[in-house]
Amino acid sequence: MTQDAGRPTSAPDPVVPGPEEGRPKRAVLVAIGALLLGMLLAALDQTIVSTALPTIVSDLGGLDHLSWVVTAYLLASTAATPLWGKLGDQYGRKRLFQAAIVLFLTGSALCGLAQDMGQLIGFRGLQGLGGGGLIVLSMAIVGDIVPPRERGRYQGLFGAVFSAASVLGPLLGGLFVDQLSWRWVFYINIPVGVVALLVIASVLHIPVRRTPHTIDYLGTGLIAGVAATVVLMASLGGVTYGWGSWQILGLAALGAVLLIAFVRVERRAAEPVLPLKLFHSRTFTLCAVIGFVVGFAMFGSMVYLPTFLQVVQGVSPTLSGVHMLPMVLGMLLCSTVSGELVSRTGRYKVFPILGTAVTGIGLLLLHQLRETSGVVETSAYFFVFGCGLGLVIQVLVLIVQNSVSYQDLGVATSGATFFRSIGASFGVSVFGSIFAGSLTPKIADALAGRSLPPGVTPAGLAADHHALGRLPPGERAGVVHAYATSITDVFLYGVPVVLLAFVLAWFLREEPLRAGVTAPEASEVLASNPVERSSYDECARALSLLGSREGRRKIYVDITERAGLDLLPAASWMLLRIRHDGSVEPAVLAQRTPVPLRAITGAARQIEERGLGVRYGLDLTLTPRGREVADRLFRARERSLAELLGDWWSPERPTDLVELVEELSREMCGSDEERPWRREPPGAG
């Protein structure tokens, strides 16, 4: 969902109501669990395959097409993501989510049955079409089944799934290759997907609310065509065909024609897949280029690191997954730390500069790896590289969100990750072209004048690394060295590209940061395809997360002061609770919430003493004066939430944003999770 035009003017009613509406919360949790399983399928498939690639190539051949096993998935999922979002709005998300699961499982089963590299690449594209739907629809359905106040919490779980998949993927991929077969990298999706499909069918009930959209099919097809022609040029040029051949020149001409057509179509499209007005913003344009480079370096290198570990250093597939963990941990650690520092300081420009510099250093370090490099050295280089990526990935999304108007928030967020995804596809292809183009000649040079066993050729050794076992030790060492230098040279070619991003990062303007964009989404760090949410959904997620954080800290001190009242924070909390529920029984409230009985008793006593509440039996209800004070507190809470939106909360603010703030304020005021007894002002009472 890249636009807001189809957004209902009022927030969607929860389909599976939470406990606040008298319905069991279990149904929501089971449905969320099924959505998480669907997300896990797509997230795992971005990391589990890389560890198995050396074995897949050995079995099927076609080393020069290795990069397309990854590229086909990336391109298909990237192109399909905005379409899944719009179609979900138009025809209902439940059936489409089920269709995405079926499509993904069909692609997975066919990938497992593939008999040659061409079949595998084609089936990976089919799998990618389903994977794009799994990611966008699972996140969107959260908005259908839980109220805004809960969305930050639940969507945070999806970020956790991406983090877990980034760690589990390499390990599981290696484990399946060692213990079963590389085909189980794809077959494992089937039982998990079937469980998700059954649970979704039985538990998830979402009424179809048709939201009219003008889907930009032509624009989507054209931008996918442009990306495909560029990637084909990068992977075929200099390897299969010469750079001056008619095939490559024809691809270049076709790409240029498609690009011109895309620009013309997007200018007239009612709901463009990538609005051209975004490029009027220097910040967005710079972040798009930097994101492209980061995706280029990140995914391009991740594809060839397992090959280096398994072929050059002789590590088993399972252990190669373990060896890659320092890179993943570096990414997660630095993305978390940078996001927290941005939230606390409001300063962000230093992180793209530092991140691109560290990424470049990481690539130079990876270029130094040799067959004799030890575990400590290799892990340290991987960690540095991961830290560089982590410092810049998430911050780029925050910078883009901070630089656009509310109306463009959703499409700008997905646009930023779109360019990273295209960069990933391009990087995998370019790195693959460089690797494939240099390996066979280097092996031929290493074996020049040597006597080879029957049936062993340089081309055969390049296509199947298992043939190394047929060589005598002396010849084998030369071929391993050829593999090592071919792979590590790939990283060196990435350094100038990252250097360009480093230079561009200095031209970013640092603007005052809205608090509403300092709630980063972990899925935006590791996801290879665009994270698609509308502007409304982006604000709902961020405000629910930030508003909940405030409620656990000092929000009731703040809103009591804003309202000009002299009350205990716990008394303000209780007044809002009574306003929401009609009445409360203090003893029961102490059992249901984390607020201590002492604080609740003191709050109830103050409310009665001030004439703000009156007892009817055990229940405490508001007096007319109490309702007036509670309304003042409610408006103060609204103002505190609105301030998080910065200049999005302008006099011309859209109706749906006003209603979102009102609904969040209503749901958060006096909620169970809040801790109003903390940091009470001296002398209050």
mmCIF file with all atom_site columns, all heavy atoms in Angstrom, residues 16-19 24-37 145-146 150 153-154 157 199 203:
data_model
loop_
_atom_site.group_PDB
_atom_site.id
_atom_site.type_symbol
_atom_site.label_atom_id
_atom_site.label_alt_id
_atom_site.label_comp_id
_atom_site.label_asym_id
_atom_site.label_entity_id
_atom_site.label_seq_id
_atom_site.pdbx_PDB_ins_code
_atom_site.Cartn_x
_atom_site.Cartn_y
_atom_site.Cartn_z
_atom_site.occupancy
_atom_site.B_iso_or_equiv
_atom_site.pdbx_formal_charge
_atom_site.auth_seq_id
_atom_site.auth_comp_id
_atom_site.auth_asym_id
_atom_site.auth_atom_id
_atom_site.pdbx_PDB_model_num
ATOM 1   N N   . VAL A 1 16  ? -11.077 -9.058  14.892 1.00 0.00 ? 16  VAL A N   1
ATOM 2   C CA  . VAL A 1 16  ? -11.062 -9.959  16.025 1.00 0.00 ? 16  VAL A CA  1
ATOM 3   C C   . VAL A 1 16  ? -10.824 -9.109  17.252 1.00 0.00 ? 16  VAL A C   1
ATOM 4   O O   . VAL A 1 16  ? -9.697  -8.786  17.593 1.00 0.00 ? 16  VAL A O   1
ATOM 5   C CB  . VAL A 1 16  ? -9.956  -11.026 15.884 1.00 0.00 ? 16  VAL A CB  1
ATOM 6   C CG1 . VAL A 1 16  ? -10.050 -12.013 17.009 1.00 0.00 ? 16  VAL A CG1 1
ATOM 7   C CG2 . VAL A 1 16  ? -10.069 -11.730 14.547 1.00 0.00 ? 16  VAL A CG2 1
ATOM 8   N N   . PRO A 1 17  ? -11.882 -8.647  17.918 1.00 0.00 ? 17  PRO A N   1
ATOM 9   C CA  . PRO A 1 17  ? -11.732 -7.654  18.965 1.00 0.00 ? 17  PRO A CA  1
ATOM 10  C C   . PRO A 1 17  ? -10.842 -8.125  20.086 1.00 0.00 ? 17  PRO A C   1
ATOM 11  O O   . PRO A 1 17  ? -10.770 -9.304  20.398 1.00 0.00 ? 17  PRO A O   1
ATOM 12  C CB  . PRO A 1 17  ? -13.177 -7.438  19.448 1.00 0.00 ? 17  PRO A CB  1
ATOM 13  C CG  . PRO A 1 17  ? -14.036 -7.913  18.326 1.00 0.00 ? 17  PRO A CG  1
ATOM 14  C CD  . PRO A 1 17  ? -13.280 -9.015  17.695 1.00 0.00 ? 17  PRO A CD  1
ATOM 15  N N   . GLY A 1 18  ? -10.165 -7.164  20.679 1.00 0.00 ? 18  GLY A N   1
ATOM 16  C CA  . GLY A 1 18  ? -9.297  -7.467  21.797 1.00 0.00 ? 18  GLY A CA  1
ATOM 17  C C   . GLY A 1 18  ? -10.088 -7.558  23.072 1.00 0.00 ? 18  GLY A C   1
ATOM 18  O O   . GLY A 1 18  ? -11.309 -7.442  23.106 1.00 0.00 ? 18  GLY A O   1
ATOM 19  N N   . PRO A 1 19  ? -9.404  -7.768  24.194 1.00 0.00 ? 19  PRO A N   1
ATOM 20  C CA  . PRO A 1 19  ? -10.080 -7.952  25.463 1.00 0.00 ? 19  PRO A CA  1
ATOM 21  C C   . PRO A 1 19  ? -10.888 -6.740  25.891 1.00 0.00 ? 19  PRO A C   1
ATOM 22  O O   . PRO A 1 19  ? -11.840 -6.867  26.643 1.00 0.00 ? 19  PRO A O   1
ATOM 23  C CB  . PRO A 1 19  ? -8.926  -8.220  26.425 1.00 0.00 ? 19  PRO A CB  1
ATOM 24  C CG  . PRO A 1 19  ? -7.724  -7.667  25.747 1.00 0.00 ? 19  PRO A CG  1
ATOM 25  C CD  . PRO A 1 19  ? -7.969  -7.805  24.296 1.00 0.00 ? 19  PRO A CD  1
ATOM 26  N N   . PRO A 1 24  ? -12.103 -12.735 23.539 1.00 0.00 ? 24  PRO A N   1
ATOM 27  C CA  . PRO A 1 24  ? -10.838 -13.302 23.994 1.00 0.00 ? 24  PRO A CA  1
ATOM 28  C C   . PRO A 1 24  ? -9.664  -12.834 23.147 1.00 0.00 ? 24  PRO A C   1
ATOM 29  O O   . PRO A 1 24  ? -9.770  -12.701 21.926 1.00 0.00 ? 24  PRO A O   1
ATOM 30  C CB  . PRO A 1 24  ? -11.054 -14.817 23.845 1.00 0.00 ? 24  PRO A CB  1
ATOM 31  C CG  . PRO A 1 24  ? -12.142 -14.945 22.834 1.00 0.00 ? 24  PRO A CG  1
ATOM 32  C CD  . PRO A 1 24  ? -13.026 -13.754 23.028 1.00 0.00 ? 24  PRO A CD  1
ATOM 33  N N   . LYS A 1 25  ? -8.567  -12.587 23.803 1.00 0.00 ? 25  LYS A N   1
ATOM 34  C CA  . LYS A 1 25  ? -7.358  -12.155 23.107 1.00 0.00 ? 25  LYS A CA  1
ATOM 35  C C   . LYS A 1 25  ? -6.680  -13.309 22.387 1.00 0.00 ? 25  LYS A C   1
ATOM 36  O O   . LYS A 1 25  ? -5.863  -13.109 21.502 1.00 0.00 ? 25  LYS A O   1
ATOM 37  C CB  . LYS A 1 25  ? -6.401  -11.543 24.130 1.00 0.00 ? 25  LYS A CB  1
ATOM 38  C CG  . LYS A 1 25  ? -5.243  -10.778 23.512 1.00 0.00 ? 25  LYS A CG  1
ATOM 39  C CD  . LYS A 1 25  ? -4.424  -10.109 24.583 1.00 0.00 ? 25  LYS A CD  1
ATOM 40  C CE  . LYS A 1 25  ? -3.281  -9.307  23.973 1.00 0.00 ? 25  LYS A CE  1
ATOM 41  N NZ  . LYS A 1 25  ? -2.463  -8.638  24.991 1.00 0.00 ? 25  LYS A NZ  1
ATOM 42  N N   . ARG A 1 26  ? -7.053  -14.544 22.757 1.00 0.00 ? 26  ARG A N   1
ATOM 43  C CA  . ARG A 1 26  ? -6.392  -15.721 22.199 1.00 0.00 ? 26  ARG A CA  1
ATOM 44  C C   . ARG A 1 26  ? -6.532  -15.778 20.679 1.00 0.00 ? 26  ARG A C   1
ATOM 45  O O   . ARG A 1 26  ? -5.607  -16.163 19.967 1.00 0.00 ? 26  ARG A O   1
ATOM 46  C CB  . ARG A 1 26  ? -6.999  -16.970 22.832 1.00 0.00 ? 26  ARG A CB  1
ATOM 47  C CG  . ARG A 1 26  ? -6.331  -18.256 22.392 1.00 0.00 ? 26  ARG A CG  1
ATOM 48  C CD  . ARG A 1 26  ? -6.827  -19.437 23.225 1.00 0.00 ? 26  ARG A CD  1
ATOM 49  N NE  . ARG A 1 26  ? -6.266  -20.665 22.696 1.00 0.00 ? 26  ARG A NE  1
ATOM 50  C CZ  . ARG A 1 26  ? -6.980  -21.708 22.341 1.00 0.00 ? 26  ARG A CZ  1
ATOM 51  N NH1 . ARG A 1 26  ? -8.284  -21.669 22.459 1.00 0.00 ? 26  ARG A NH1 1
ATOM 52  N NH2 . ARG A 1 26  ? -6.405  -22.804 21.880 1.00 0.00 ? 26  ARG A NH2 1
ATOM 53  N N   . ALA A 1 27  ? -7.724  -15.404 20.165 1.00 0.00 ? 27  ALA A N   1
ATOM 54  C CA  . ALA A 1 27  ? -7.940  -15.444 18.718 1.00 0.00 ? 27  ALA A CA  1
ATOM 55  C C   . ALA A 1 27  ? -6.978  -14.516 17.994 1.00 0.00 ? 27  ALA A C   1
ATOM 56  O O   . ALA A 1 27  ? -6.461  -14.842 16.925 1.00 0.00 ? 27  ALA A O   1
ATOM 57  C CB  . ALA A 1 27  ? -9.383  -15.073 18.396 1.00 0.00 ? 27  ALA A CB  1
ATOM 58  N N   . VAL A 1 28  ? -6.746  -13.347 18.586 1.00 0.00 ? 28  VAL A N   1
ATOM 59  C CA  . VAL A 1 28  ? -5.800  -12.406 17.980 1.00 0.00 ? 28  VAL A CA  1
ATOM 60  C C   . VAL A 1 28  ? -4.395  -12.996 17.969 1.00 0.00 ? 28  VAL A C   1
ATOM 61  O O   . VAL A 1 28  ? -3.682  -12.945 16.962 1.00 0.00 ? 28  VAL A O   1
ATOM 62  C CB  . VAL A 1 28  ? -5.807  -11.067 18.744 1.00 0.00 ? 28  VAL A CB  1
ATOM 63  C CG1 . VAL A 1 28  ? -4.733  -10.142 18.199 1.00 0.00 ? 28  VAL A CG1 1
ATOM 64  C CG2 . VAL A 1 28  ? -7.167  -10.408 18.646 1.00 0.00 ? 28  VAL A CG2 1
ATOM 65  N N   . LEU A 1 29  ? -3.993  -13.594 19.084 1.00 0.00 ? 29  LEU A N   1
ATOM 66  C CA  . LEU A 1 29  ? -2.639  -14.135 19.190 1.00 0.00 ? 29  LEU A CA  1
ATOM 67  C C   . LEU A 1 29  ? -2.426  -15.294 18.218 1.00 0.00 ? 29  LEU A C   1
ATOM 68  O O   . LEU A 1 29  ? -1.356  -15.419 17.613 1.00 0.00 ? 29  LEU A O   1
ATOM 69  C CB  . LEU A 1 29  ? -2.369  -14.589 20.629 1.00 0.00 ? 29  LEU A CB  1
ATOM 70  C CG  . LEU A 1 29  ? -2.342  -13.479 21.679 1.00 0.00 ? 29  LEU A CG  1
ATOM 71  C CD1 . LEU A 1 29  ? -2.153  -14.063 23.072 1.00 0.00 ? 29  LEU A CD1 1
ATOM 72  C CD2 . LEU A 1 29  ? -1.237  -12.476 21.369 1.00 0.00 ? 29  LEU A CD2 1
ATOM 73  N N   . VAL A 1 30  ? -3.443  -16.156 18.065 1.00 0.00 ? 30  VAL A N   1
ATOM 74  C CA  . VAL A 1 30  ? -3.312  -17.278 17.133 1.00 0.00 ? 30  VAL A CA  1
ATOM 75  C C   . VAL A 1 30  ? -3.196  -16.760 15.704 1.00 0.00 ? 30  VAL A C   1
ATOM 76  O O   . VAL A 1 30  ? -2.365  -17.238 14.917 1.00 0.00 ? 30  VAL A O   1
ATOM 77  C CB  . VAL A 1 30  ? -4.518  -18.240 17.269 1.00 0.00 ? 30  VAL A CB  1
ATOM 78  C CG1 . VAL A 1 30  ? -4.472  -19.314 16.182 1.00 0.00 ? 30  VAL A CG1 1
ATOM 79  C CG2 . VAL A 1 30  ? -4.510  -18.903 18.641 1.00 0.00 ? 30  VAL A CG2 1
ATOM 80  N N   . ALA A 1 31  ? -4.017  -15.758 15.357 1.00 0.00 ? 31  ALA A N   1
ATOM 81  C CA  . ALA A 1 31  ? -3.946  -15.184 14.012 1.00 0.00 ? 31  ALA A CA  1
ATOM 82  C C   . ALA A 1 31  ? -2.596  -14.518 13.770 1.00 0.00 ? 31  ALA A C   1
ATOM 83  O O   . ALA A 1 31  ? -1.999  -14.688 12.701 1.00 0.00 ? 31  ALA A O   1
ATOM 84  C CB  . ALA A 1 31  ? -5.078  -14.170 13.820 1.00 0.00 ? 31  ALA A CB  1
ATOM 85  N N   . ILE A 1 32  ? -2.106  -13.778 14.772 1.00 0.00 ? 32  ILE A N   1
ATOM 86  C CA  . ILE A 1 32  ? -0.791  -13.143 14.641 1.00 0.00 ? 32  ILE A CA  1
ATOM 87  C C   . ILE A 1 32  ? 0.285   -14.204 14.472 1.00 0.00 ? 32  ILE A C   1
ATOM 88  O O   . ILE A 1 32  ? 1.226   -14.052 13.677 1.00 0.00 ? 32  ILE A O   1
ATOM 89  C CB  . ILE A 1 32  ? -0.486  -12.270 15.876 1.00 0.00 ? 32  ILE A CB  1
ATOM 90  C CG1 . ILE A 1 32  ? -1.408  -11.053 15.917 1.00 0.00 ? 32  ILE A CG1 1
ATOM 91  C CG2 . ILE A 1 32  ? 0.971   -11.822 15.887 1.00 0.00 ? 32  ILE A CG2 1
ATOM 92  C CD1 . ILE A 1 32  ? -1.179  -10.054 14.810 1.00 0.00 ? 32  ILE A CD1 1
ATOM 93  N N   . GLY A 1 33  ? 0.164   -15.325 15.208 1.00 0.00 ? 33  GLY A N   1
ATOM 94  C CA  . GLY A 1 33  ? 1.128   -16.411 15.066 1.00 0.00 ? 33  GLY A CA  1
ATOM 95  C C   . GLY A 1 33  ? 1.173   -16.955 13.653 1.00 0.00 ? 33  GLY A C   1
ATOM 96  O O   . GLY A 1 33  ? 2.253   -17.234 13.110 1.00 0.00 ? 33  GLY A O   1
ATOM 97  N N   . ALA A 1 34  ? -0.008  -17.111 13.027 1.00 0.00 ? 34  ALA A N   1
ATOM 98  C CA  . ALA A 1 34  ? -0.049  -17.587 11.644 1.00 0.00 ? 34  ALA A CA  1
ATOM 99  C C   . ALA A 1 34  ? 0.576   -16.577 10.688 1.00 0.00 ? 34  ALA A C   1
ATOM 100 O O   . ALA A 1 34  ? 1.290   -16.944 9.748  1.00 0.00 ? 34  ALA A O   1
ATOM 101 C CB  . ALA A 1 34  ? -1.491  -17.881 11.242 1.00 0.00 ? 34  ALA A CB  1
ATOM 102 N N   . LEU A 1 35  ? 0.310   -15.291 10.933 1.00 0.00 ? 35  LEU A N   1
ATOM 103 C CA  . LEU A 1 35  ? 0.930   -14.250 10.097 1.00 0.00 ? 35  LEU A CA  1
ATOM 104 C C   . LEU A 1 35  ? 2.449   -14.274 10.245 1.00 0.00 ? 35  LEU A C   1
ATOM 105 O O   . LEU A 1 35  ? 3.190   -14.099 9.268  1.00 0.00 ? 35  LEU A O   1
ATOM 106 C CB  . LEU A 1 35  ? 0.388   -12.877 10.483 1.00 0.00 ? 35  LEU A CB  1
ATOM 107 C CG  . LEU A 1 35  ? -1.101  -12.628 10.223 1.00 0.00 ? 35  LEU A CG  1
ATOM 108 C CD1 . LEU A 1 35  ? -1.513  -11.273 10.778 1.00 0.00 ? 35  LEU A CD1 1
ATOM 109 C CD2 . LEU A 1 35  ? -1.412  -12.715 8.743  1.00 0.00 ? 35  LEU A CD2 1
ATOM 110 N N   . LEU A 1 36  ? 2.916   -14.493 11.473 1.00 0.00 ? 36  LEU A N   1
ATOM 111 C CA  . LEU A 1 36  ? 4.359   -14.567 11.705 1.00 0.00 ? 36  LEU A CA  1
ATOM 112 C C   . LEU A 1 36  ? 4.971   -15.753 10.970 1.00 0.00 ? 36  LEU A C   1
ATOM 113 O O   . LEU A 1 36  ? 6.095   -15.658 10.460 1.00 0.00 ? 36  LEU A O   1
ATOM 114 C CB  . LEU A 1 36  ? 4.649   -14.672 13.204 1.00 0.00 ? 36  LEU A CB  1
ATOM 115 C CG  . LEU A 1 36  ? 4.386   -13.408 14.029 1.00 0.00 ? 36  LEU A CG  1
ATOM 116 C CD1 . LEU A 1 36  ? 4.516   -13.706 15.516 1.00 0.00 ? 36  LEU A CD1 1
ATOM 117 C CD2 . LEU A 1 36  ? 5.353   -12.291 13.640 1.00 0.00 ? 36  LEU A CD2 1
ATOM 118 N N   . LEU A 1 37  ? 4.245   -16.874 10.911 1.00 0.00 ? 37  LEU A N   1
ATOM 119 C CA  . LEU A 1 37  ? 4.747   -18.023 10.157 1.00 0.00 ? 37  LEU A CA  1
ATOM 120 C C   . LEU A 1 37  ? 4.876   -17.674 8.674  1.00 0.00 ? 37  LEU A C   1
ATOM 121 O O   . LEU A 1 37  ? 5.855   -18.046 8.018  1.00 0.00 ? 37  LEU A O   1
ATOM 122 C CB  . LEU A 1 37  ? 3.808   -19.217 10.323 1.00 0.00 ? 37  LEU A CB  1
ATOM 123 C CG  . LEU A 1 37  ? 3.903   -20.014 11.619 1.00 0.00 ? 37  LEU A CG  1
ATOM 124 C CD1 . LEU A 1 37  ? 2.868   -21.133 11.626 1.00 0.00 ? 37  LEU A CD1 1
ATOM 125 C CD2 . LEU A 1 37  ? 5.303   -20.594 11.805 1.00 0.00 ? 37  LEU A CD2 1
ATOM 126 N N   . ILE A 1 145 ? -6.720  -6.350  12.413 1.00 0.00 ? 145 ILE A N   1
ATOM 127 C CA  . ILE A 1 145 ? -7.195  -7.184  13.518 1.00 0.00 ? 145 ILE A CA  1
ATOM 128 C C   . ILE A 1 145 ? -6.826  -6.664  14.899 1.00 0.00 ? 145 ILE A C   1
ATOM 129 O O   . ILE A 1 145 ? -7.279  -7.222  15.892 1.00 0.00 ? 145 ILE A O   1
ATOM 130 C CB  . ILE A 1 145 ? -6.693  -8.642  13.369 1.00 0.00 ? 145 ILE A CB  1
ATOM 131 C CG1 . ILE A 1 145 ? -5.166  -8.716  13.453 1.00 0.00 ? 145 ILE A CG1 1
ATOM 132 C CG2 . ILE A 1 145 ? -7.188  -9.250  12.080 1.00 0.00 ? 145 ILE A CG2 1
ATOM 133 C CD1 . ILE A 1 145 ? -4.626  -10.129 13.407 1.00 0.00 ? 145 ILE A CD1 1
ATOM 134 N N   . VAL A 1 146 ? -6.001  -5.622  14.977 1.00 0.00 ? 146 VAL A N   1
ATOM 135 C CA  . VAL A 1 146 ? -5.686  -5.057  16.295 1.00 0.00 ? 146 VAL A CA  1
ATOM 136 C C   . VAL A 1 146 ? -5.877  -3.544  16.242 1.00 0.00 ? 146 VAL A C   1
ATOM 137 O O   . VAL A 1 146 ? -5.693  -2.928  15.198 1.00 0.00 ? 146 VAL A O   1
ATOM 138 C CB  . VAL A 1 146 ? -4.238  -5.392  16.746 1.00 0.00 ? 146 VAL A CB  1
ATOM 139 C CG1 . VAL A 1 146 ? -4.052  -6.874  16.919 1.00 0.00 ? 146 VAL A CG1 1
ATOM 140 C CG2 . VAL A 1 146 ? -3.203  -4.832  15.772 1.00 0.00 ? 146 VAL A CG2 1
ATOM 141 N N   . GLU A 1 150 ? -2.108  -1.164  19.791 1.00 0.00 ? 150 GLU A N   1
ATOM 142 C CA  . GLU A 1 150 ? -1.369  -2.418  19.878 1.00 0.00 ? 150 GLU A CA  1
ATOM 143 C C   . GLU A 1 150 ? -0.442  -2.642  18.684 1.00 0.00 ? 150 GLU A C   1
ATOM 144 O O   . GLU A 1 150 ? 0.355   -3.568  18.686 1.00 0.00 ? 150 GLU A O   1
ATOM 145 C CB  . GLU A 1 150 ? -2.349  -3.596  19.970 1.00 0.00 ? 150 GLU A CB  1
ATOM 146 C CG  . GLU A 1 150 ? -3.334  -3.507  21.125 1.00 0.00 ? 150 GLU A CG  1
ATOM 147 C CD  . GLU A 1 150 ? -2.661  -3.648  22.466 1.00 0.00 ? 150 GLU A CD  1
ATOM 148 O OE1 . GLU A 1 150 ? -1.579  -4.267  22.528 1.00 0.00 ? 150 GLU A OE1 1
ATOM 149 O OE2 . GLU A 1 150 ? -3.195  -3.132  23.462 1.00 0.00 ? 150 GLU A OE2 1
ATOM 150 N N   . ARG A 1 153 ? 3.428   -2.789  19.073 1.00 0.00 ? 153 ARG A N   1
ATOM 151 C CA  . ARG A 1 153 ? 3.895   -4.004  19.746 1.00 0.00 ? 153 ARG A CA  1
ATOM 152 C C   . ARG A 1 153 ? 3.908   -5.192  18.789 1.00 0.00 ? 153 ARG A C   1
ATOM 153 O O   . ARG A 1 153 ? 4.885   -5.932  18.685 1.00 0.00 ? 153 ARG A O   1
ATOM 154 C CB  . ARG A 1 153 ? 2.996   -4.305  20.934 1.00 0.00 ? 153 ARG A CB  1
ATOM 155 C CG  . ARG A 1 153 ? 3.314   -5.606  21.644 1.00 0.00 ? 153 ARG A CG  1
ATOM 156 C CD  . ARG A 1 153 ? 2.231   -5.957  22.646 1.00 0.00 ? 153 ARG A CD  1
ATOM 157 N NE  . ARG A 1 153 ? 1.959   -4.858  23.563 1.00 0.00 ? 153 ARG A NE  1
ATOM 158 C CZ  . ARG A 1 153 ? 0.927   -4.842  24.396 1.00 0.00 ? 153 ARG A CZ  1
ATOM 159 N NH1 . ARG A 1 153 ? 0.070   -5.848  24.417 1.00 0.00 ? 153 ARG A NH1 1
ATOM 160 N NH2 . ARG A 1 153 ? 0.745   -3.830  25.206 1.00 0.00 ? 153 ARG A NH2 1
ATOM 161 N N   . TYR A 1 154 ? 2.796   -5.393  18.076 1.00 0.00 ? 154 TYR A N   1
ATOM 162 C CA  . TYR A 1 154 ? 2.696   -6.567  17.222 1.00 0.00 ? 154 TYR A CA  1
ATOM 163 C C   . TYR A 1 154 ? 3.593   -6.460  15.996 1.00 0.00 ? 154 TYR A C   1
ATOM 164 O O   . TYR A 1 154 ? 4.198   -7.442  15.568 1.00 0.00 ? 154 TYR A O   1
ATOM 165 C CB  . TYR A 1 154 ? 1.238   -6.792  16.802 1.00 0.00 ? 154 TYR A CB  1
ATOM 166 C CG  . TYR A 1 154 ? 0.382   -7.360  17.900 1.00 0.00 ? 154 TYR A CG  1
ATOM 167 C CD1 . TYR A 1 154 ? -0.696  -6.648  18.414 1.00 0.00 ? 154 TYR A CD1 1
ATOM 168 C CD2 . TYR A 1 154 ? 0.654   -8.614  18.432 1.00 0.00 ? 154 TYR A CD2 1
ATOM 169 C CE1 . TYR A 1 154 ? -1.484  -7.170  19.429 1.00 0.00 ? 154 TYR A CE1 1
ATOM 170 C CE2 . TYR A 1 154 ? -0.129  -9.147  19.443 1.00 0.00 ? 154 TYR A CE2 1
ATOM 171 C CZ  . TYR A 1 154 ? -1.195  -8.418  19.940 1.00 0.00 ? 154 TYR A CZ  1
ATOM 172 O OH  . TYR A 1 154 ? -1.964  -8.938  20.940 1.00 0.00 ? 154 TYR A OH  1
ATOM 173 N N   . LEU A 1 157 ? 6.999   -7.549  16.498 1.00 0.00 ? 157 LEU A N   1
ATOM 174 C CA  . LEU A 1 157 ? 7.255   -8.986  16.408 1.00 0.00 ? 157 LEU A CA  1
ATOM 175 C C   . LEU A 1 157 ? 7.710   -9.378  15.005 1.00 0.00 ? 157 LEU A C   1
ATOM 176 O O   . LEU A 1 157 ? 8.531   -10.286 14.838 1.00 0.00 ? 157 LEU A O   1
ATOM 177 C CB  . LEU A 1 157 ? 5.985   -9.767  16.774 1.00 0.00 ? 157 LEU A CB  1
ATOM 178 C CG  . LEU A 1 157 ? 5.516   -9.668  18.224 1.00 0.00 ? 157 LEU A CG  1
ATOM 179 C CD1 . LEU A 1 157 ? 4.198   -10.419 18.405 1.00 0.00 ? 157 LEU A CD1 1
ATOM 180 C CD2 . LEU A 1 157 ? 6.569   -10.226 19.171 1.00 0.00 ? 157 LEU A CD2 1
ATOM 181 N N   . VAL A 1 199 ? -4.346  -22.322 9.695  1.00 0.00 ? 199 VAL A N   1
ATOM 182 C CA  . VAL A 1 199 ? -4.695  -21.431 10.800 1.00 0.00 ? 199 VAL A CA  1
ATOM 183 C C   . VAL A 1 199 ? -5.364  -20.168 10.272 1.00 0.00 ? 199 VAL A C   1
ATOM 184 O O   . VAL A 1 199 ? -6.371  -19.702 10.823 1.00 0.00 ? 199 VAL A O   1
ATOM 185 C CB  . VAL A 1 199 ? -3.448  -21.081 11.635 1.00 0.00 ? 199 VAL A CB  1
ATOM 186 C CG1 . VAL A 1 199 ? -3.795  -20.041 12.705 1.00 0.00 ? 199 VAL A CG1 1
ATOM 187 C CG2 . VAL A 1 199 ? -2.878  -22.327 12.293 1.00 0.00 ? 199 VAL A CG2 1
ATOM 188 N N   . VAL A 1 203 ? -9.031  -19.169 11.619 1.00 0.00 ? 203 VAL A N   1
ATOM 189 C CA  . VAL A 1 203 ? -9.029  -18.175 12.696 1.00 0.00 ? 203 VAL A CA  1
ATOM 190 C C   . VAL A 1 203 ? -9.206  -16.747 12.204 1.00 0.00 ? 203 VAL A C   1
ATOM 191 O O   . VAL A 1 203 ? -9.879  -15.937 12.836 1.00 0.00 ? 203 VAL A O   1
ATOM 192 C CB  . VAL A 1 203 ? -7.722  -18.285 13.520 1.00 0.00 ? 203 VAL A CB  1
ATOM 193 C CG1 . VAL A 1 203 ? -7.649  -17.175 14.559 1.00 0.00 ? 203 VAL A CG1 1
ATOM 194 C CG2 . VAL A 1 203 ? -7.641  -19.648 14.204 1.00 0.00 ? 203 VAL A CG2 1
#
